[in-house]
Every structure is written in C-alpha cells, then in structure tokens.
Amino acid sequence: MPAAPQFAISDLVRELRAIVGPDGVLASESELLAYECDGYTLQRNPPTAVVLPRTTEQVVAVVNLCRRENLPIIPRGAGTSLSGGVLAVDGGVMITLTRMNRLLHLDVRNRRVLVEAGCVNAWVTREASPFGLCYAPDPSSQPACTIGGNIATNSGGPHTLKHGVTTNHVLGFEIVLPDGQVHWLGATPDGCEDVEGYDLRGAAIGCEGMFGIVTRALLRLTPAAVAHKTFLGVFDTVDEASQTVSDIIAAGIVPGALEMMDQLITRALEEAYHFGFPLDAGALLIIELDGLPDGIAAQSTVIEAICHRNGAREVRVAKDDAERAALWKCRKRAFGAIGRLSPNYVTQDGVVPRSQLPVIMRFIRETSERCGLRIPNVFHAGDGNIHPLILYDERDPGQVQRALAAGHDILDKCIELGGSVTGEHGIGVEKIDFMAKQFSTDDLDAMRTLRRVFDPEQRCNPHKMFPGSKRCADFAPRKQAAA
Ligand SMILES: Cc1cc2nc3c(=O)[nH]c(=O)nc-3n(C[C@H](O)[C@H](O)[C@H](O)COP(=O)(O)OP(=O)(O)OC[C@H]3O[C@@H](n4cnc5c(N)ncnc54)[C@H](O)[C@@H]3O)c2cc1C
C-alpha cells in the first residue's frame, strides 16, 4: 500500500505543472472540493492534487512521478460513479481524463471508432448516427459519463438487456500501467479483431480503475434499429408489473429495454418533466421492442397480452419518435428529479433473479417502513437490476445511519435471493463489506492476484473493492446503525 507523501505538496504541484502546463493542475482547497467525492456522497476526502492531462505521454509522465514518490493514483472520468469508485481515500494524485475527450477516427466501413478515454459516451452515438450506426451501451448518465469510466465499471444501461454491456462493445484499449508502461489490450485500431492469447482486454474491463489508466479505446459500432415500438404499461401494483417482467422474458422475448418505475419516482418525474404519467399508478413499465417491423408486430401482440393478463389497467404506445424521446428523457433523468423529494439520496445497485423481483420489491417496501425513510425505485427490471433510491437528509445523523442500514439490508437480501450486490455501479468503497459475503476467500485471493499482475504495488485506486481496505475517517460503519 502507498505510504504517506514524503515531499512537499508545493513541489508536487510544481512538477505536475511542468508536465501538463499551469492550467492542468488543481490543488487549492476550493478547487479540490469538487473532487472530494463522486455520486456516492456518504464518504468524502480530497485528493492531494488533480491533474488534467491532454496526451498519453503526459499521463505516463504523471504516473512515473507518482511511482518515484510512491503516491496513490486515482483515475477519474466524469465522476458519476455511484459507489465511491473515485474516492481518494488516502489522498494522492487524481488523473482526470476529461481533457482527453476526442473522437479520433470514425471507421464507418468497419463499424469501429477510436476515441480518447475522456470522450463522453453520448458523443459516440451522436457522431455515428448520421451513418445509421450507434454505440449500444447507454448508461442513463450518458450525457456526462466517459468511455474510460464505462470500461472501468463495465457499464450497462436501459438498452443493454438485449444489446450487451460495455465488454461486448469494446474491441481494445490502451492502458498506462502504474509503473509507466503503455500497453494495448485486445484489438488494435490498425489490426484485425481476432487477437490470440489470453483475453486481457476482458480481464481488465470492470477493474474499477485498479489496473491502470485507460487512455484510448477502440469501440464497436452497431447498426441502429430500423424500427421501435415503445409501450408504457400502467399497473396498480409493483407485484403485477414485476410478474409481467418475468413473464415477458419467460415467453422468449428479449425487448430492447424493460424498465420499471414505482409510484414515488413517477410522481417526482411528472412534477419535473410533465410527461403525462398517471399519478395513481402503482408501477409503470417501459417496454421497448426494436429491430425489423415484422418481428416487432408479432412480439407486440404477445407483450400486450402478457400485460393485460397481469392486470395492466392500460398499455399505451408512444405515438411517434418525439413521444418516445420524451419518455426516455424522463427515464434517464430520473435521478435528477429526486431533488424534489429529498436533499440527499443514495442509489443502491443490486441484482436478483427476475423471478424474485416481486420478493425484493416487497422487501424494499418493508425496509422503507422499518427505517422510516422513503425509497423510490426506477430500474433495469429486465436484467433484475434494482436501483432503490434511499432518501435521507445528511443534516440528521440518525437518517444517515438508517440510510446505510437500509442499503445493507437490501443488498443482504439480494445475496439471499441468489443475486449479486452490483449490477453495474461496481463495488468502489461502498460495497467492500459485501465482497466476503458474496465470494469465497479463494475467489478474493484470485482477484487480488490478478490485480497484482497489473499493479504489484497496489498504488492505482487503492482501498477499493477488497475487504480490509482503509476507510475514510468520517465513514459511519454499519454496526453503529444498529446501536
Ligand atoms: C444519473 C446517473 C445515472 C447512472 N446510470 C447508470 C446506468 O444506467 N448504468 C451504469 O452502468 N451506470 C450508471 N451510472 C453510474 C456511472 O455513470 C457509471 O459507472 C459510469 O461508467 C462512470 O463513468 P465516469 O466517466 O463518470 O467515471 P468515474 O465516475 O469518474 O469513475 C468510475 C470508476 O472508473 C474509474 N475510471 C474512470 N476513468 C478511468 C480511466 N480512464 N481509466 C481507468 N479507470 C477509470 C475510476 O477510478 C472509478 O473507479 C449512473 C450514474 C448517475 C449519476
């Protein structure tokens, strides 16, 4: 583990400025405030300095400086992580890729695109769409999050149910290892896509910034769907909507997207965006079919029948592209609407087998009543990937404790139901305690061994993921919640 810095911060800043220029280093208290946490705000700690490189060479020079001084390195994209993945637990140099954001080469013929790691996810589809192509992984944070962050967390999104998550669409990438070496993993931009040997590309996707800094990536582009049909299923209860999700998949239909929203989040969304959602519905399902028109027509009949069999009071169809876009805008901005309900919230990210959705949704309701905190839900139901949003007010320490306790109870239940403690947001600092519950000691040792292949000194994004990691001093541990 990294030792405390041995030399003055002013010397560090001077040397970093010599590498990236005077405007590429942030080190004052006020500048570092924006970097003391990501979307998981329950733990905070500023890095020693933030550096904003513009080239891979600059990243290498910064990494070599950190190696010389035995400083932690924290890779960062847009900071939209919801699990504390970019928390500088022990200070260190935060390497932020947001200035390396260019789309370098769009290869329409081969359906590939080369981007810098700080390129924003949504920009890729924006540039590819005039050619009938898209970049399929579409996290709801896509107007902000970066390709580097997506690779580090193996991001999913509403449409990855059918089209696959990040690892299915990243052909290869450049990574700067913590010892300053630069490697390409997987297909190179000028090579063929079949790479022999171990799939180190696959091994490094989802490493949560603990293997090195991703600087460029070669992405697969997918033909955009010829047609869409988007349904809004209106149900009186969450149980009916959950059963519908289970039945659609059991019928052999994999929609492009299958998302659920409960009453609390629907009301907040309606107040914020005025879509026309029914405010008295217990739950809404967004079901989107995509592909060729003939296939969509056949599947539509089955979907509508399943919805009605499970008690849907209404199944609306988006009447045109504008209405479809408005519906997705609401869904993808759902977390933003939470500000209308509460000053703070923590987003949980668990997975259960789809057949267990009614059980986990009931459990969340009971947990909400037990903890005295409201917990709206908006999530990737087709994947069984729940996102309960636990609302609290950080000015009330009791609420903070109860929010933490509620999150723990829900994740414990996910494991008990045969699921997992993360579907897409990663472990970060938030879910370290669950690793030993979900994995055996042998599993964890194997993961640590793999990490040491890339980062023998464990200086890259330290104190994440593994049990025994250091915590921030202000972290409120679970056992206090029970006291
Ligand atoms: C409103 C909202 C909606 C969201 N919806 C989704 C969703 O639908 N699906 C989903 O999967 N996630 C979602 N997220 C979570 C988050 O957006 C994703 O995890 C995203 O991939 C993070 O990208 P980022 O650029 O913000 O990375 P950061 O938050 O900056 O970093 C995330 C992790 O990646 C590492 N990292 C970042 N850049 C690099 C790099 N260049 N090299 C190596 N490591 C790096 C960091 O060290 C950290 O561990 C959502 C978040 C918000 C706030």
Side-chain angles (χ1 to χ4, degrees):
M1 290 289 170
Q6 296 296 309
F7 73 126
I9 292 176
S10 55
D11 291 338
L12 172 68
V13 171
R14 186 175 40 75
E15 289 206 45
L16 289 173
R17 288 203 171 121
I19 297 169
V20 296
D23 68 341
V25 182
L26 308 174
S28 72
E29 201 181 332
S30 57
E31 287 171 332
L32 295 179
L33 262 183
Y35 296 87
E36 65 174 13
C37 67
D38 49 36
Y40 178 72
T41 57
L42 277 162
Q43 293 186 56
R44 293 175 198 167
N45 198 50
T48 312
V50 173
V51 61
L52 299 146
R54 293 188 188 275
T55 64
T56 299
E57 291 69 31
Q58 290 183 354
V59 174
V60 171
V62 171
V63 163
N64 282 332
L65 171 58
C66 293
R67 181 170 63 142
R68 191 191 80 201
E69 298 302 333
N70 195 25
L71 287 166
I73 301 163
I74 303 103
R76 176 172 165 130
T80 63
S81 161
L82 292 166
S83 62
V86 279
L87 184 70
V89 177
D90 217 4
V93 175
M94 189 170 277
I95 302 182
T96 299
L97 277 289
T98 45
R99 286 184 179 174
M100 292 178 63
N101 60 10
R102 288 176 302 161
L103 193 148
L104 297 169
H105 179 54
L106 181 61
D107 179 356
V108 173
R109 191 181 163 92
N110 292 302
R111 293 183 185 163
R112 309 191 306 192
V113 60
L114 180 66
V115 299
E116 290 182 320
C119 181
V120 170
N121 173 301
W123 297 355
V124 182
T125 291
R126 188 187 68 196
E127 296 301 314
S129 60
F131 305 96
L133 300 170
C134 70
Y135 178 60
D138 66 334
S140 300
S141 52
Q142 68 182 149
C145 68
T146 67
I147 295 298
N150 296 169
I151 290 173
T153 53
N154 194 16
S155 279
H159 290 86
T160 53
L161 170 65
K162 177 174 176 181
H163 299 286
V165 296
T166 298
T167 193
N168 305 114
H169 299 273
V170 174
L171 297 167
F173 54 88
E174 182 182 68
I175 185 166
V176 178
L177 299 185
D179 65 1
Q181 290 185 60
V182 183
H183 289 282
W184 259 101
L185 306 182
T188 54
D190 49 356
C192 71
E193 289 182 15
D194 285 331
V195 183
E196 289 177 6
Y198 293 124
D199 181 14
L200 295 178
R201 174 212 64 91
I205 291 178
C207 71
E208 299 197 27
M210 298 167 85
F211 287 7
I213 298 105
V214 176
T215 41
R216 288 189 294 165
L218 183 67
L219 311 178
R220 186 196 306 281
L221 296 174
T222 309
V226 177
H228 294 97
K229 190 163 183 181
T230 310
F231 302 88
L232 186 70
V234 182
F235 296 85
D236 285 332
T237 67
V238 168
D239 274 6
E240 291 168 353
S242 305
Q243 193 57 49
T244 303
V245 172
S246 207
D247 289 355
I248 289 172
I249 303 290
I253 297 174
V254 182
L258 183 38
E259 302 278 305
M260 196 191 301
M261 307 193 291
D262 71 7
Q263 187 176 68
L264 201 45
I265 194 77
T266 303
R267 287 184 174 178
L269 280 172
E270 187 55 32
E271 204 178 310
Y273 308 123
H274 317 295
F275 178 78
F277 292 123
L279 295 179
D280 59 341
L284 302 178
L285 284 183
I286 302 176
I287 310 162
E288 181 157 281
L289 296 172
D290 62 18
L292 298 172
D294 285 354
I296 289 179
Q299 290 183 339
S300 298
T301 314
V302 181
I303 297 258
E304 291 194 56
I306 291 173
C307 287
H308 288 301
R309 197 171 67 224
N310 282 299
R313 87 157 89 122
E314 189 187 351
V315 183
R316 296 186 195 170
V317 179
K319 62 178 185 301
D320 52 26
D321 282 350
E323 193 171 84
R324 172 176 172 255
L327 183 56
W328 280 115
K329 195 166 153 188
C330 289
R331 162 60 188 96
K332 293 199 172 190
R333 290 184 175 183
F335 294 180
I338 292 292
R340 292 174 180 268
L341 298 178
S342 168
N344 303 92
Y345 69 95
V346 57
T347 312
Q348 270 306 347
D349 166 42
V351 184
V352 294
R354 275 179 293 257
S355 57
Q356 299 291 346
L357 274 177
V359 180
I360 193 71
M361 294 308 291
R362 269 196 296 274
F363 183 81
I364 292 170
R365 212 160 46 240
E366 287 158 16
T367 305
S368 164
E369 284 159 15
R370 194 173 57 250
C371 295
L373 297 174
R374 290 175 299 163
I375 310 183
N377 291 275
V378 48
F379 60 101
H380 313 311
D383 292 304
N385 184 192
I386 58 165
H387 286 328
L389 301 153
I390 304 164
L391 311 187
Y392 68 98
D393 184 340
E394 70 176 3
R395 292 164 297 189
D396 175 350
Q399 287 197 30
V400 175
Q401 297 299 325
R402 282 183 279 134
L404 283 164
H408 275 78
D409 290 349
I410 292 167
L411 292 179
D412 274 340
K413 189 70 178 177
C414 288
I415 297 177
E416 186 193 315
L417 293 173
S420 142
V421 296
T422 176
E424 53 184 20
H425 296 170
I427 299 297
V429 294
E430 183 198 13
K431 295 181 189 164
I432 287 172
D433 290 345
F434 292 92
M435 289 296 275
K437 294 183 185 178
Q438 194 169 338
F439 296 102
S440 69
T441 309
D442 287 348
D443 289 339
L444 290 170
D445 284 348
M447 290 184 215
R448 286 192 177 101
T449 304
L450 178 62
R451 183 198 178 183
R452 281 196 293 270
V453 171
F454 291 85
D455 181 14
E457 296 174 338
Q458 301 173 69
R459 263 187 316 106
C460 203
N461 213 9
H463 312 300
K464 308 284 157 62
M465 198 185 282
F466 293 113
S469 298
K470 185 178 170 181
R471 307 298 178 101
C472 285
D474 62 347
F475 177 55
R478 170 83 169 96
K479 54 180 172 340
Q480 289 180 15

